[in-house]
Amino acid sequence: MEAAAPYRRLLRGLVAGLVLVPAVAHGWWNGEWSGRKQIRIDTSAAGANVTEPIGDMALLVRLHTGNFRFDSAKEDGSDLRFVAGDDKTPLHHHLEKYDPLLGEALVWVAVPDLKPGSRTDIWLYYKNPKAVSLEDAKGTYDAATTLVYHFAERGQPPRDASTWGNHAVASGASAEGALIGRGLRLDGTATVSVPAASSLAWPARTKMTWSAWVKPAEAGASGVIFSRRDGGNTFVIGVAGGKPFAEVDGGSGPQRAAGTVALEASSWHHLLVTGSEEIALYVDGAPAAKLSAALPALNTVATIGAVGAPAASAVAEPPRERTRGGARVSSLPAVLPGFKGDLDELQIAKLERPAGFIRVAAISQGPDPGKFLVLGQDEESGGSGTNYFAVLLKAVTLDGWVVIALLAVMSAVSWIVMVGKASYLRAVERGNDKFTERFRGASGDLAQLVTDAGALGEEKLVRASPLYRMFEVGAHEIRLRTQGRRQPLSAESMEVVRASLDATLIRENQKLTRRMVLLTIAISGGPFLGLLGTVVGVMITFAAIAAAGDVNVNAIAPGIAAALVATVAGLAVAIPALFGYNWLLTRIKDVYATMQVFVDEFVTKAAEAYSAKSGRGERTAHPTVVAAE
């Protein structure tokens, strides 16, 4: 036993290490925040696979119940902080939406100088009840961004989130449940005007980037999404026959760069147009068309949803086209109607965004960012690392806890049965050993042993033996039939003695197997009950993901992992019960076999001791036998 002590200590240390082992610890930005999680931005081949330059970006971070614990943050999200990978540099951010009841948040975070083909880590800190909001929408975007409309307002004109304050002057109709929170709904007639401003002035051949998410209401429709006109100069973005286009007119006639694939109805698409010496059209982050025409000078009101007055340069149907310098050029047009559909996240910048920036914008803001943006596990309290078991338990839903509670009760019952049964069997085995030693030492004169049966059970250890209790029953039956004197027993009497011993054997075996059925219930029922909890947890996880509209792996993994805790709990109940049951059953069979052997041994010795000739050779015949002689 002494030699086994070091091994027991080693085993306890390994178990504790598995439970308490943390992830690699990093520095903690501020001790007042007790929760954080890592956000990995992956532009490598394993993620978004972006190889072109990107630069500064305002990235959209979607939070939902699958990747964030809203109950750990403040109700308004004012304690959210974003810190660079060095865990020292705070990053500007602002909330477009934060709804802890629905479990959804949309946060824009400024990530400086994002590199292609690499992985960039930032940190999200939360859980500080004393924190005040430090949202900074203007600081989230670079100085080149001159207009950002989230369309998050309801019943109010869209407000510019950039530092330039180019707010709209008409409210427009809100589109609930757009791609990124709330959007703008256009019916073909209503428009939203953007006042002229120095930051929105476009000198001739200036550098410009325009982008927005659009969802056409009808397939193959035509309409203007955005337009500007300054004298004879025009700039129009829209769809013709369902195909997106960008059109410019510097006074010598309109020229159009049009995509070749029509946009699907009721489906979100990212449109982006860059301009300076030539006009380029991108759809969903990929080049769609290019036009060798410079951007004309424009310094007037911009119109969202139609051609603003006095513009009248676009056509209602795809116009007759001819080729000029490899580009399709429109003939003189008729007026296009307004766009019918939804619009979201309109941005304008006074520089040409690089190809990598365009691709990342389409991926990160889209419905499925995939492996581009992955939120890690939650870490607690001052950078001590992540206890993954604690994280999983915190993610378990109410239904999972109900199942785990039932399994905990089942586990407690099974352990009580195993420990109690092992203790009982140990006492039985020791008592049997002691009784067997006494019985065989005195069985040379079984008749005397039967007479003194009570003296044999004076020891407490012997009284715990089923063999002793069986012996008492057999001795009692013999005494009843011999009136305490040594006289022969008939065959019928010996059968009665055997029957009494067999009945006692059955009762003792029932004592040995009592409550063993609880272990079989734990073995068979534990895994199934755990599986039930897992299935329900997975259903809830997928329902939450469907409601949030985010289907990336990071949204699924925490919920699934937490749901599997119920299965692990079920196995944790069943596996010890299985080993314990088989071990106890083997010991019970050994005790039962010992009792069966004792029945045969006792009956045989009794038949010998109480036969017609017994003792020291004297004849002690039964009276009936003597009379017969």
Side-chain angles (χ1 to χ4, degrees):
M1 296 300 290
E2 292 295 330
Y7 295 100
R8 289 198 298 269
R9 288 195 294 269
L10 177 61
L11 180 60
R12 287 195 295 267
L14 289 174
V15 172
L18 288 174
V19 174
L20 300 176
V21 62
V24 178
H26 298 271
W28 203 264
W29 166 67
N30 190 318
E32 294 182 3
W33 275 259
S34 57
R36 73 172 184 180
K37 67 193 313 164
Q38 188 181 63
I39 301 176
R40 172 155 293 179
I41 305 165
D42 193 351
T43 59
S44 68
N49 193 23
V50 178
T51 57
E52 302 88 354
I54 303 173
D56 298 346
M57 284 209 69
L59 284 180
L60 174 64
V61 177
R62 297 177 184 266
L63 302 178
H64 50 77
T65 54
N67 62 17
F68 185 71
R69 304 200 318 262
F70 285 88
D71 57 342
S72 297
K74 295 184 67 175
E75 291 185 356
D76 57 357
S78 58
D79 60 337
L80 298 187
R81 299 291 187 271
F82 292 85
V83 182
D86 60 5
D87 222 349
K88 298 178 181 179
T89 309
L91 302 177
H92 298 286
H93 77 280
H94 69 279
L95 303 175
E96 179 178 341
K97 178 180 181 180
Y98 191 88
D99 191 336
L101 294 178
L102 294 178
E104 183 181 4
L106 302 170
V107 191
W108 294 91
V109 183
V111 180
D113 196 19
L114 190 61
K115 300 294 184 183
S118 63
R119 293 179 179 177
T120 302
D121 294 334
I122 62 175
W123 292 94
L124 165 59
Y125 281 83
Y126 58 95
K127 205 171 183 181
N128 180 1
K130 297 180 181 179
V132 296
S133 176
L134 288 183
E135 288 187 62
D136 184 8
K138 296 179 179 180
T140 307
Y141 300 94
D142 57 22
T145 303
T146 57
L147 183 143
V148 176
Y149 286 169
H150 295 315
F151 300 110
E153 303 78 12
R154 177 183 292 173
Q156 297 180 0
R159 297 188 62 81
D160 181 16
S162 76
T163 191
W164 300 99
N166 293 311
H167 309 306
V169 295
S171 60
S174 294
E176 301 296 334
L179 179 65
I180 307 172
R182 191 177 289 120
L184 175 66
R185 178 149 297 167
L186 300 171
D187 59 5
T189 57
T191 62
V192 174
S193 298
V194 182
S198 59
S199 59
L200 294 176
W202 296 344
R205 303 180 183 277
T206 191
K207 294 180 179 180
M208 177 277 304
T209 299
W210 179 98
S211 66
W213 285 90
V214 299
K215 184 175 78 169
E218 302 172 355
S222 300
V224 171
I225 299 172
F226 180 88
S227 67
R228 296 186 76 177
R229 181 166 185 177
D230 190 352
N233 297 337
T234 61
F235 174 77
V236 179
I237 297 174
V239 290
K243 299 177 182 179
F245 70 84
E247 184 174 289
V248 295
D249 187 349
S252 59
Q255 300 181 62
R256 176 179 297 181
T260 59
V261 179
L263 303 180
E264 298 178 4
S266 301
S267 178
W268 287 100
H269 295 275
H270 186 253
L271 297 186
L272 186 142
V273 178
T274 62
S276 61
E277 297 293 336
E278 62 179 15
I279 304 298
L281 172 66
Y282 292 80
V283 178
D284 295 330
K290 188 171 289 189
L291 176 65
S292 297
L295 187 71
L298 295 165
N299 189 19
T300 55
V301 173
T303 303
I304 302 172
V307 175
S313 62
V315 294
E317 298 298 332
R320 293 173 297 161
E321 297 178 341
R322 65 184 186 276
T323 301
R324 178 191 300 170
R328 287 176 291 175
V329 181
S330 302
S331 61
L332 293 175
V335 177
L336 260 176
F339 177 75
K340 290 183 179 180
D342 294 345
L343 191 70
D344 201 357
E345 201 54 38
L346 173 62
Q347 296 188 16
I348 299 176
K350 53 183 180 182
L351 82 168
E352 286 185 280
R353 298 294 189 186
F357 181 101
I358 296 170
R359 178 169 171 78
V360 168
I363 293 174
S364 63
Q365 299 171 21
D368 182 15
K371 298 180 180 180
F372 168 74
L373 195 69
V374 179
L375 275 70
Q377 299 292 339
D378 296 272
E379 298 184 15
E380 296 288 337
S381 300
S384 59
T386 303
N387 185 336
Y388 291 108
F389 288 93
V391 171
L392 287 175
L393 292 178
K394 289 180 180 179
V396 175
T397 54
L398 177 61
D399 60 285
W401 280 118
V402 172
V403 171
I404 291 173
L406 293 175
L407 289 170
V409 173
M410 189 179 294
S411 177
V413 170
S414 63
W415 277 103
I416 290 173
V417 170
M418 288 189 290
V419 172
K421 191 64 65 178
S423 177
Y424 177 71
L425 285 173
R426 183 170 179 270
V428 164
E429 290 168 343
R430 292 176 62 193
N432 283 349
D433 291 341
K434 188 67 175 177
F435 171 79
T436 301
E437 177 186 346
R438 297 283 300 276
F439 174 76
R440 290 178 178 169
S443 60
D445 188 0
L446 184 64
Q448 185 61 39
L449 195 64
V450 167
T451 303
D452 299 334
L456 190 63
E458 289 178 357
E459 294 185 36
K460 181 178 180 182
L461 185 62
V462 173
R463 289 197 303 273
S465 169
L467 299 183
Y468 169 73
R469 290 190 288 272
M470 295 172 65
F471 171 77
E472 271 196 321
V473 171
H476 177 69
E477 293 294 336
I478 291 175
R479 287 196 300 269
L480 287 178
R481 285 159 180 78
T482 60
Q483 289 82 41
R485 298 186 299 274
R486 183 175 298 184
Q487 57 185 8
L489 292 174
S490 64
E492 291 79 3
S493 297
M494 293 305 301
E495 287 300 321
V496 172
V497 173
R498 175 179 284 277
S500 297
L501 290 174
D502 287 340
T504 306
L505 173 67
I506 297 300
R507 287 193 291 271
E508 291 295 334
N509 187 59
Q510 288 175 336
K511 289 182 181 179
L512 292 173
T513 58
R514 186 177 299 166
R515 299 189 182 90
M516 290 292 285
V517 67
L518 297 176
L519 296 183
T520 62
I521 292 174
I523 294 168
S524 58
F528 281 104
L529 191 58
L531 182 61
L532 173 64
T534 294
V535 171
V536 174
V538 170
M539 292 170 57
I540 292 175
T541 298
F542 280 113
I545 292 169
D550 194 345
V551 294
N552 60 64
V553 174
N554 187 65
I556 298 174
I560 298 292
L564 289 172
V565 171
T567 296
V568 173
L571 294 175
V573 171
I575 291 174
L578 176 62
F579 288 116
Y581 176 83
N582 286 286
W583 177 64
L584 292 172
L585 189 62
T586 300
R587 294 178 64 181
I588 289 172
K589 288 181 178 179
D590 290 341
V591 173
Y592 183 74
T594 301
M595 292 190 297
Q596 285 182 311
V597 170
F598 176 77
V599 170
D600 294 335
E601 184 178 356
F602 181 85
V603 172
T604 301
K605 289 183 180 295
E608 182 181 13
Y610 291 92
S611 63
K613 291 184 178 181
S614 60
R616 294 185 176 88
E618 70 270 21
R619 185 173 181 177
T620 56
H622 195 279
T624 59
V625 176
V626 175
E629 292 180 349

